[in-house]
Amino acid sequence: MIGDYLRARREQVRPEDVGLVDNGRRRVRGLRRDELAMLAGISTEYYTRLEQGRDQHPSTQVLDAVSRALNLDEDGRTHLYLLASPKPGKSRVVRRAERVRPSVQQLLDSWTDTAAYVHDPLLNVVASNALARALSPMFDPGENVLKSTFLDSAVHELLPDWETKVVTLVAALRAMVGPDVEDVRLTELVGELSVKSPVFARLWSRHDVRPQSGDGQHIMQHESVGELKLTYDKFQVGGTEGQTLVIYHADPGSGTSQALRLLSTLAADAEAPADPTRSPARAEEQPN
């Protein structure tokens, strides 16, 4: 795992960015192993063992030196340290199906003008409210936000900044799973997306790592109510294995706020149960 990360990040470093001369005759993308080792102040033999996974316990000093040579940011360094010191018992994990507490679902349902959903570390939606489902079917429980974003053309149309969004999502998934890359469900998810989406395959191979921000803004182009400028906030759900609550809301009195109220009404009408006492035949009866 650490070897895959080091190799991917080494390929992203251009020689000219670290003061090396690129004569145009390089046979590898990015830096060579010996160049990275020189920049880190370690032997090429040792760095090769590290990248090949034959050294499982690199020192903090070595990790610091390699991080500097790779120009890793804080998120990248943190990820490297996690890969170098994986927690025991994490390989080939099979996660149980996620559920939310009934009280959390009640909270979601109480927000009629605020879209909200809960996802697990693999971005599987485990709960949502009616307004979130009206925003997009990708927020239906059982859907996977990553798969929907890459594979569903309707989601592509919903997100004007799709190209930026997918980069963020893939890097966030790397951050959420950390060194637990052998989770069976993660392997299946990555395998399916790598086959079906060349864009995903390219982004996943970069090993970019960046935790999702806890707040920000998203713009959505909804087919029924037009452009939505939404503020989002994210919260960890206590007592769970990495569940995250995501809330979409709008500034009071804004056009988006009015659009959300309209969408909430449409969602309530769509999800309202049929009146069992009113049959089609009786509905068509006219008074004499």
mmCIF file of all heavy atoms in Angstrom, residues 112-113 131 134-135 220 222 224-230 250-251 253-267:
data_model
loop_
_atom_site.group_PDB
_atom_site.id
_atom_site.type_symbol
_atom_site.label_atom_id
_atom_site.label_comp_id
_atom_site.label_asym_id
_atom_site.label_seq_id
_atom_site.Cartn_x
_atom_site.Cartn_y
_atom_site.Cartn_z
ATOM 1 N N THR A 112 -38.036 19.927 6.705
ATOM 2 C CA THR A 112 -38.786 19.914 5.446
ATOM 3 C C THR A 112 -38.229 20.893 4.419
ATOM 4 O O THR A 112 -38.422 20.704 3.216
ATOM 5 C CB THR A 112 -40.260 20.243 5.713
ATOM 6 O OG1 THR A 112 -40.357 21.503 6.396
ATOM 7 C CG2 THR A 112 -40.903 19.151 6.567
ATOM 8 N N ASP A 113 -37.536 21.943 4.865
ATOM 9 C CA ASP A 113 -36.964 22.924 3.941
ATOM 10 C C ASP A 113 -35.446 22.836 3.868
ATOM 11 O O ASP A 113 -34.791 23.720 3.305
ATOM 12 C CB ASP A 113 -37.368 24.344 4.349
ATOM 13 C CG ASP A 113 -38.860 24.593 4.185
ATOM 14 O OD1 ASP A 113 -39.486 23.890 3.369
ATOM 15 O OD2 ASP A 113 -39.394 25.475 4.878
ATOM 16 N N LEU A 131 -36.568 15.967 0.899
ATOM 17 C CA LEU A 131 -36.026 17.047 0.086
ATOM 18 C C LEU A 131 -34.699 16.645 -0.556
ATOM 19 O O LEU A 131 -34.425 17.014 -1.704
ATOM 20 C CB LEU A 131 -35.852 18.310 0.928
ATOM 21 C CG LEU A 131 -35.414 19.572 0.183
ATOM 22 C CD1 LEU A 131 -36.315 19.848 -1.009
ATOM 23 C CD2 LEU A 131 -35.377 20.769 1.122
ATOM 24 N N ALA A 134 -35.495 14.603 -3.444
ATOM 25 C CA ALA A 134 -36.025 15.428 -4.527
ATOM 26 C C ALA A 134 -34.914 16.179 -5.250
ATOM 27 O O ALA A 134 -35.022 16.475 -6.438
ATOM 28 C CB ALA A 134 -37.057 16.408 -3.977
ATOM 29 N N LEU A 135 -33.840 16.504 -4.530
ATOM 30 C CA LEU A 135 -32.682 17.134 -5.178
ATOM 31 C C LEU A 135 -32.097 16.207 -6.232
ATOM 32 O O LEU A 135 -31.787 16.622 -7.345
ATOM 33 C CB LEU A 135 -31.614 17.482 -4.141
ATOM 34 C CG LEU A 135 -31.714 18.802 -3.397
ATOM 35 C CD1 LEU A 135 -30.551 18.927 -2.420
ATOM 36 C CD2 LEU A 135 -31.746 19.980 -4.348
ATOM 37 N N MET A 220 -26.179 23.690 -7.947
ATOM 38 C CA MET A 220 -26.854 22.623 -8.666
ATOM 39 C C MET A 220 -27.839 23.226 -9.654
ATOM 40 O O MET A 220 -28.463 24.253 -9.375
ATOM 41 C CB MET A 220 -27.595 21.691 -7.700
ATOM 42 C CG MET A 220 -26.703 20.956 -6.719
ATOM 43 S SD MET A 220 -27.635 19.788 -5.681
ATOM 44 C CE MET A 220 -26.324 19.183 -4.606
ATOM 45 N N HIS A 222 -31.080 22.246 -11.097
ATOM 46 C CA HIS A 222 -32.164 21.274 -10.966
ATOM 47 C C HIS A 222 -33.169 21.427 -12.101
ATOM 48 O O HIS A 222 -33.547 22.540 -12.473
ATOM 49 C CB HIS A 222 -32.864 21.446 -9.613
ATOM 50 C CG HIS A 222 -33.711 20.292 -9.225
ATOM 51 N ND1 HIS A 222 -35.009 20.133 -9.667
ATOM 52 C CD2 HIS A 222 -33.434 19.219 -8.437
ATOM 53 C CE1 HIS A 222 -35.504 19.023 -9.154
ATOM 54 N NE2 HIS A 222 -34.575 18.448 -8.418
ATOM 55 N N SER A 224 -36.303 20.918 -12.237
ATOM 56 C CA SER A 224 -37.637 21.418 -11.899
ATOM 57 C C SER A 224 -37.638 22.846 -11.370
ATOM 58 O O SER A 224 -38.582 23.601 -11.619
ATOM 59 C CB SER A 224 -38.304 20.493 -10.863
ATOM 60 O OG SER A 224 -38.481 19.203 -11.384
ATOM 61 N N VAL A 225 -36.605 23.242 -10.620
ATOM 62 C CA VAL A 225 -36.626 24.560 -9.973
ATOM 63 C C VAL A 225 -35.451 25.437 -10.366
ATOM 64 O O VAL A 225 -35.286 26.529 -9.833
ATOM 65 C CB VAL A 225 -36.675 24.403 -8.429
ATOM 66 C CG1 VAL A 225 -37.968 23.721 -8.008
ATOM 67 C CG2 VAL A 225 -35.456 23.634 -7.926
ATOM 68 N N GLY A 226 -34.636 24.998 -11.296
ATOM 69 C CA GLY A 226 -33.552 25.829 -11.801
ATOM 70 C C GLY A 226 -32.305 25.814 -10.938
ATOM 71 O O GLY A 226 -32.044 24.855 -10.205
ATOM 72 N N GLU A 227 -31.543 26.893 -10.994
ATOM 73 C CA GLU A 227 -30.253 26.950 -10.300
ATOM 74 C C GLU A 227 -30.442 27.085 -8.791
ATOM 75 O O GLU A 227 -31.258 27.883 -8.323
ATOM 76 C CB GLU A 227 -29.431 28.132 -10.803
ATOM 77 C CG GLU A 227 -28.030 28.190 -10.199
ATOM 78 C CD GLU A 227 -27.210 29.357 -10.717
ATOM 79 O OE1 GLU A 227 -27.411 30.485 -10.223
ATOM 80 O OE2 GLU A 227 -26.375 29.130 -11.605
ATOM 81 N N LEU A 228 -29.663 26.297 -8.055
ATOM 82 C CA LEU A 228 -29.694 26.321 -6.591
ATOM 83 C C LEU A 228 -28.287 26.631 -6.085
ATOM 84 O O LEU A 228 -27.328 25.928 -6.431
ATOM 85 C CB LEU A 228 -30.151 24.970 -6.043
ATOM 86 C CG LEU A 228 -31.557 24.499 -6.442
ATOM 87 C CD1 LEU A 228 -31.768 23.045 -6.020
ATOM 88 C CD2 LEU A 228 -32.617 25.399 -5.833
ATOM 89 N N LYS A 229 -28.174 27.669 -5.275
ATOM 90 C CA LYS A 229 -26.904 27.998 -4.630
ATOM 91 C C LYS A 229 -27.010 27.557 -3.175
ATOM 92 O O LYS A 229 -27.595 28.249 -2.347
ATOM 93 C CB LYS A 229 -26.623 29.499 -4.745
ATOM 94 C CG LYS A 229 -26.446 29.972 -6.175
ATOM 95 C CD LYS A 229 -26.154 31.466 -6.241
ATOM 96 C CE LYS A 229 -25.969 31.917 -7.682
ATOM 97 N NZ LYS A 229 -25.708 33.375 -7.784
ATOM 98 N N LEU A 230 -26.444 26.395 -2.898
ATOM 99 C CA LEU A 230 -26.639 25.743 -1.607
ATOM 100 C C LEU A 230 -25.397 25.824 -0.740
ATOM 101 O O LEU A 230 -24.280 25.626 -1.216
ATOM 102 C CB LEU A 230 -27.005 24.270 -1.824
ATOM 103 C CG LEU A 230 -28.310 24.017 -2.583
ATOM 104 C CD1 LEU A 230 -28.381 22.569 -3.035
ATOM 105 C CD2 LEU A 230 -29.507 24.357 -1.705
ATOM 106 N N ALA A 250 -30.123 27.015 2.429
ATOM 107 C CA ALA A 250 -29.997 28.248 1.653
ATOM 108 C C ALA A 250 -30.130 29.456 2.559
ATOM 109 O O ALA A 250 -30.686 29.375 3.662
ATOM 110 C CB ALA A 250 -31.067 28.290 0.568
ATOM 111 N N ASP A 251 -29.627 30.594 2.094
ATOM 112 C CA ASP A 251 -29.772 31.837 2.849
ATOM 113 C C ASP A 251 -31.250 32.205 2.937
ATOM 114 O O ASP A 251 -31.972 32.142 1.934
ATOM 115 C CB ASP A 251 -29.003 32.965 2.166
ATOM 116 C CG ASP A 251 -27.494 32.757 2.205
ATOM 117 O OD1 ASP A 251 -27.034 32.040 3.107
ATOM 118 O OD2 ASP A 251 -26.802 33.316 1.333
ATOM 119 N N GLY A 253 -34.657 33.927 2.675
ATOM 120 C CA GLY A 253 -35.163 34.951 1.773
ATOM 121 C C GLY A 253 -34.556 34.945 0.387
ATOM 122 O O GLY A 253 -34.952 35.749 -0.467
ATOM 123 N N SER A 254 -33.601 34.066 0.140
ATOM 124 C CA SER A 254 -32.959 34.017 -1.169
ATOM 125 C C SER A 254 -33.829 33.276 -2.173
ATOM 126 O O SER A 254 -34.794 32.597 -1.822
ATOM 127 C CB SER A 254 -31.598 33.319 -1.065
ATOM 128 O OG SER A 254 -31.776 31.959 -0.680
ATOM 129 N N GLY A 255 -33.472 33.406 -3.450
ATOM 130 C CA GLY A 255 -34.181 32.666 -4.485
ATOM 131 C C GLY A 255 -34.047 31.165 -4.293
ATOM 132 O O GLY A 255 -34.995 30.408 -4.552
ATOM 133 N N THR A 256 -32.879 30.727 -3.821
ATOM 134 C CA THR A 256 -32.691 29.294 -3.573
ATOM 135 C C THR A 256 -33.582 28.815 -2.441
ATOM 136 O O THR A 256 -34.125 27.713 -2.484
ATOM 137 C CB THR A 256 -31.215 29.003 -3.251
ATOM 138 O OG1 THR A 256 -30.415 29.294 -4.399
ATOM 139 C CG2 THR A 256 -31.012 27.539 -2.864
ATOM 140 N N SER A 257 -33.752 29.665 -1.415
ATOM 141 C CA SER A 257 -34.637 29.297 -0.309
ATOM 142 C C SER A 257 -36.060 29.096 -0.800
ATOM 143 O O SER A 257 -36.731 28.129 -0.419
ATOM 144 C CB SER A 257 -34.595 30.392 0.767
ATOM 145 O OG SER A 257 -35.485 30.089 1.827
ATOM 146 N N GLN A 258 -36.539 29.980 -1.663
ATOM 147 C CA GLN A 258 -37.873 29.833 -2.221
ATOM 148 C C GLN A 258 -37.965 28.580 -3.091
ATOM 149 O O GLN A 258 -38.975 27.867 -3.067
ATOM 150 C CB GLN A 258 -38.228 31.080 -3.031
ATOM 151 C CG GLN A 258 -38.297 32.359 -2.206
ATOM 152 C CD GLN A 258 -38.527 33.595 -3.057
ATOM 153 O OE1 GLN A 258 -38.867 33.504 -4.231
ATOM 154 N NE2 GLN A 258 -38.308 34.769 -2.466
ATOM 155 N N ALA A 259 -36.911 28.323 -3.857
ATOM 156 C CA ALA A 259 -36.903 27.132 -4.715
ATOM 157 C C ALA A 259 -36.931 25.856 -3.883
ATOM 158 O O ALA A 259 -37.591 24.873 -4.255
ATOM 159 C CB ALA A 259 -35.670 27.156 -5.618
ATOM 160 N N LEU A 260 -36.220 25.855 -2.756
ATOM 161 C CA LEU A 260 -36.233 24.670 -1.894
ATOM 162 C C LEU A 260 -37.619 24.427 -1.302
ATOM 163 O O LEU A 260 -38.049 23.284 -1.169
ATOM 164 C CB LEU A 260 -35.201 24.824 -0.771
ATOM 165 C CG LEU A 260 -33.733 24.632 -1.142
ATOM 166 C CD1 LEU A 260 -32.847 24.800 0.088
ATOM 167 C CD2 LEU A 260 -33.486 23.277 -1.788
ATOM 168 N N ARG A 261 -38.319 25.508 -0.942
ATOM 169 C CA ARG A 261 -39.675 25.335 -0.419
ATOM 170 C C ARG A 261 -40.602 24.747 -1.483
ATOM 171 O O ARG A 261 -41.433 23.889 -1.186
ATOM 172 C CB ARG A 261 -40.218 26.673 0.086
ATOM 173 C CG ARG A 261 -39.632 27.104 1.428
ATOM 174 C CD ARG A 261 -40.485 28.183 2.088
ATOM 175 N NE ARG A 261 -40.478 29.418 1.314
ATOM 176 C CZ ARG A 261 -39.579 30.369 1.467
ATOM 177 N NH1 ARG A 261 -38.603 30.233 2.362
ATOM 178 N NH2 ARG A 261 -39.642 31.470 0.743
ATOM 179 N N LEU A 262 -40.441 25.238 -2.722
ATOM 180 C CA LEU A 262 -41.237 24.680 -3.817
ATOM 181 C C LEU A 262 -40.897 23.209 -4.030
ATOM 182 O O LEU A 262 -41.791 22.363 -4.190
ATOM 183 C CB LEU A 262 -40.982 25.476 -5.101
ATOM 184 C CG LEU A 262 -41.615 24.910 -6.390
ATOM 185 C CD1 LEU A 262 -43.128 24.802 -6.230
ATOM 186 C CD2 LEU A 262 -41.232 25.778 -7.595
ATOM 187 N N LEU A 263 -39.600 22.900 -4.015
ATOM 188 C CA LEU A 263 -39.182 21.519 -4.217
ATOM 189 C C LEU A 263 -39.666 20.636 -3.080
ATOM 190 O O LEU A 263 -40.035 19.471 -3.294
ATOM 191 C CB LEU A 263 -37.658 21.461 -4.324
ATOM 192 C CG LEU A 263 -37.044 20.151 -4.833
ATOM 193 C CD1 LEU A 263 -37.583 19.802 -6.206
ATOM 194 C CD2 LEU A 263 -35.521 20.269 -4.876
ATOM 195 N N SER A 264 -39.693 21.191 -1.863
ATOM 196 C CA SER A 264 -40.207 20.443 -0.714
ATOM 197 C C SER A 264 -41.672 20.104 -0.892
ATOM 198 O O SER A 264 -42.120 18.981 -0.575
ATOM 199 C CB SER A 264 -40.003 21.249 0.571
ATOM 200 O OG SER A 264 -40.526 20.571 1.689
ATOM 201 N N THR A 265 -42.438 21.063 -1.427
ATOM 202 C CA THR A 265 -43.863 20.805 -1.685
ATOM 203 C C THR A 265 -44.035 19.735 -2.743
ATOM 204 O O THR A 265 -44.865 18.824 -2.601
ATOM 205 C CB THR A 265 -44.555 22.103 -2.141
ATOM 206 O OG1 THR A 265 -44.438 23.090 -1.122
ATOM 207 C CG2 THR A 265 -46.024 21.857 -2.425
ATOM 208 N N LEU A 266 -43.255 19.819 -3.803
ATOM 209 C CA LEU A 266 -43.318 18.802 -4.854
ATOM 210 C C LEU A 266 -42.943 17.433 -4.315
ATOM 211 O O LEU A 266 -43.559 16.418 -4.667
ATOM 212 C CB LEU A 266 -42.388 19.188 -6.007
ATOM 213 C CG LEU A 266 -42.723 20.476 -6.758
ATOM 214 C CD1 LEU A 266 -41.640 20.786 -7.787
ATOM 215 C CD2 LEU A 266 -44.084 20.361 -7.430
ATOM 216 N N ALA A 267 -41.922 17.398 -3.428
ATOM 217 C CA ALA A 267 -41.482 16.122 -2.848
ATOM 218 C C ALA A 267 -42.567 15.535 -1.950
ATOM 219 O O ALA A 267 -42.809 14.328 -1.967
ATOM 220 C CB ALA A 267 -40.192 16.319 -2.065
#
